[in-house]
């Protein structure tokens, strides 16, 4: 028994020795890992602190007053500008403005930002550094609304070179005024300009110029508009004078737009032409069909009024006449004259029938004609119908070649007993043919279309 107990004690001691060695090894390994992690963390932290300190030291931001321009009190600082147009978003005729998104870049030299560099590489920063240094105060003249894009952060870039040259770039969307001339609308071309100028510094302190002339303006080839064709972009510059502050350098981004005409041909010119042609249909309708001719005339007049109202609703209320106004109002006059033409035909027909009625009454009273007979004949009346007119005089009948398609023949018949009372009077027959188509309608069928064709030839040759 004592021997067995001693054996157990020995085994227990060996187990304790092994476990203690394992535990010591784990602690040592864990300690090494912590030291390594701490060393790496301290190394990274030191690098970050060193980079930040070197940046401030290289740019010397705290050593200068950046509220003043470079070379303050000396000659004007030149600031070069170039622009890349990203998109031309919209053109509004009603508001007379346009919206453009562009990349605006400034170039100048500020020796206060120069730093030592062994590899001559520049340093690039975001918009946070812009608030700590001097930048040109360029603004858009005649701008209604503008903003710098800020998704996901402010779209601003600042690049500083070792010799102090600075590149300042931003992405801007601006809505600016454009003075448009609509005297040839919709066959017009518009020239708009975006103007850049320093707000505070005159030409004695800051000289704005296009960095590479016309090459300073770049445009995206995919820029397109629904109603306009972009013909060209170009740059200009000149001095602008303000009576209270002085002369300023002003830069211009000019672009010319030509309007697409096909939309207006379908929506305005073609419907107006059809309405005018539709009004001519009344010249071929029987002059006694009053409801048909009146309703056709009124319908075309109201339709032309609706077209004119719709076109003017989408246009600014200018005080001069536009090209489309000339076309629409002349077309409206043609439609209105077709209504007046029927009014003249109807009035002259009424006057003519009244005179004929008085003439028949006169013959009836003076010649003792007891009664009259009215017959309706068409141009294809038979020989038996003609024989029924035997015994009637034909001194007032229309010759054979002038017979209309449909005529009304008024026959005044004399009594044989009355003819014996008056010698030399064998009977009197009054025959008057009233044609269904008036002479005015015949002339209108030629005059109206001919005049309208001549007007169209003159119009398109002048404005196209």
């Amino acid at each position: 028994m004592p021997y067995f107990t001693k054996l157990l004690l020995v085994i227990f001691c060996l187990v304790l020795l092994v476990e203690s060695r394992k535990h010591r090894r784990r602690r040592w390994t864990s300690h090494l890992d912590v030291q390594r992690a701490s060393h790496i963390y301290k190394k990274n932290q030191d690098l970050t602190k060193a980079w930040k300190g070197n940046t401030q030291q290289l740019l010397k931001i705290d050593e200068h007053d950046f509220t003043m321009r470079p070379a303050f009190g000396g000659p004007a600082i030149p600031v070069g500008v170039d622009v890349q147009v990203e998109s031309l978003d919209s053109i509004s005729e009603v508001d007379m403005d346009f919206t453009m998104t562009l990349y605006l870049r400034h170039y100048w030299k500020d020796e206060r930002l120069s730093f030592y560099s062994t590899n001559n590489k520049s340093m690039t920063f975001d918009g946070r550094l812009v608030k700590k240094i001097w930048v040109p105060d360029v603004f858009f003249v005649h701008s209604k609304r503008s903003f710098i894009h800020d998704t996901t952060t402010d779209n601003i870039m600042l690049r500083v070179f070792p010799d102090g040259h600075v590149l300042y770039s931003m992405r801007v969307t601006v809505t600016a005024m454009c003075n448009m001339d609509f005297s040839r609308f919709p066959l017009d071309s518009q020239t708009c300009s975006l103007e850049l100028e320093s707000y505070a510094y005159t030409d004695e302190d800051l000289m704005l110029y296009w960095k590479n002339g016309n090459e300073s303006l770049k445009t995206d080839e995919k820029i397109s508009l629904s109603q306009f064709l972009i013909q060209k972009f170009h740059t200009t510059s000149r001095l602008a004078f303000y009576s209270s502050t002085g002369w300023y350098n002003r830069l211009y981004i000019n672009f010319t737009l030509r309007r697409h005409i096909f939309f207006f041909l379908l929506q305005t010119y073609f419907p107006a032409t059809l309405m005018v042609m539709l009004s001519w249909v009344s010249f071929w309708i029987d002059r006694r069909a009053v409801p048909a001719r009146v309703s056709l005339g009124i319908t075309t007049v109201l339709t032309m009024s609706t077209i004119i109202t719709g076109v003017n609703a989408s246009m600014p209320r200018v005080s001069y006449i536009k090209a489309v106004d000339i076309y629409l109002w002349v077309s409206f006059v043609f439609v209105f004259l077709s209504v007046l033409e029927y009014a003249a035909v109807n009035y002259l027909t009424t006057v003519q029938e009244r005179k004929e009625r008085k003439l028949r009454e006169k013959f009836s009273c003076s010649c003792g004609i007891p009664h009259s007979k009215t017959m309706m004949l068409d141009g294809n009346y038979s020989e038996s119908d003609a024989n029924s007119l035997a015994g009637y005089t034909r001194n007032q009948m229309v010759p054979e070649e002038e017979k209309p398609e449909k005529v009304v023949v008024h026959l005044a018949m004399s009594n044989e007993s009355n003819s014996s009372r008056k010698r030399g009077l064998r009977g009197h027959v009054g025959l008057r043919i009233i044609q269904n188509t008036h002479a005015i309608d015949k002339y209108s069928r030629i005059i109206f279309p001919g005049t309208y064709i001549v007007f169209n030839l003159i119009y398109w040759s002048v404005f196209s």
Side-chain angles (χ1 to χ4, degrees), residues 141-345:
V141 186
H142 306 308
S143 172
K144 296 182 178 180
R145 297 176 299 276
S146 61
F147 63 92
I148 299 175
H149 291 260
D150 55 0
T151 305
T152 57
T153 59
D154 292 340
N155 296 171
I156 296 176
M157 185 268 288
L158 188 71
R159 183 171 294 169
V160 183
F161 294 86
D163 59 353
H165 280 90
V166 182
L167 166 60
Y168 175 43
S169 176
M170 66 184 74
R171 183 167 174 254
V172 185
T173 294
V174 56
T175 301
M177 183 178 64
C178 178
N179 293 322
M180 301 182 184
D181 182 14
F182 297 105
S183 58
R184 298 177 64 89
F185 176 87
L187 306 170
D188 58 334
S189 296
Q190 303 294 340
T191 300
C192 300
S193 62
L194 184 63
E195 305 171 13
L196 294 84
E197 183 182 303
S198 173
Y199 192 83
Y201 299 100
T202 63
D203 61 338
E204 297 178 354
D205 293 320
L206 190 146
M207 183 181 66
L208 278 179
Y209 69 97
W210 290 111
K211 188 173 184 297
N212 298 315
N214 283 331
E215 299 297 326
S216 301
L217 180 61
K218 304 293 184 181
T219 58
D220 192 345
E221 296 180 355
K222 298 181 180 179
I223 296 178
S224 62
L225 294 170
S226 58
Q227 291 191 24
F228 292 92
L229 173 65
I230 303 176
Q231 291 185 323
K232 65 177 180 178
F233 277 90
H234 65 280
T235 61
T236 55
S237 61
R238 66 187 67 174
L239 288 175
F241 177 73
Y242 297 90
S243 59
S244 301
T245 53
W247 294 89
Y248 294 82
N249 294 110
R250 182 177 295 182
L251 306 180
Y252 296 82
I253 303 173
N254 303 311
F255 55 96
T256 303
L257 306 172
R258 183 170 182 82
R259 196 183 305 273
H260 294 299
I261 187 60
F262 189 71
F263 171 81
F264 296 94
L265 288 176
L266 294 179
Q267 299 295 325
T268 303
Y269 288 96
F270 190 61
T273 303
L274 287 181
M275 288 300 104
V276 175
M277 297 174 65
L278 184 61
S279 67
W280 300 339
V281 176
S282 63
F283 302 152
W284 279 265
I285 299 178
D286 186 2
R287 59 177 174 172
R288 289 182 177 78
V290 177
R293 296 191 66 164
V294 171
S295 60
L296 181 60
I298 293 176
T299 301
T300 53
V301 168
L302 294 178
T303 305
M304 284 300 306
S305 300
T306 303
I307 294 175
I308 294 174
T309 304
V311 172
N312 291 329
S314 59
M315 293 295 299
R317 298 177 180 177
V318 294
S319 58
Y320 50 84
I321 298 176
K322 304 181 290 293
V324 68
D325 293 335
I326 296 176
Y327 193 90
L328 292 179
W329 279 105
V330 170
S331 300
F332 182 84
V333 169
F334 271 89
V335 173
F336 186 71
L337 288 178
S338 67
V339 179
L340 294 183
E341 186 269 348
Y342 177 64
V345 169

Side-chain angles (χ1 to χ4, degrees), residues 65-66 137 192 280-281 400 450:
D65 184 6
F66 283 95
D137 60 337
C192 300
W280 300 339
V281 176
E400 186 69 22

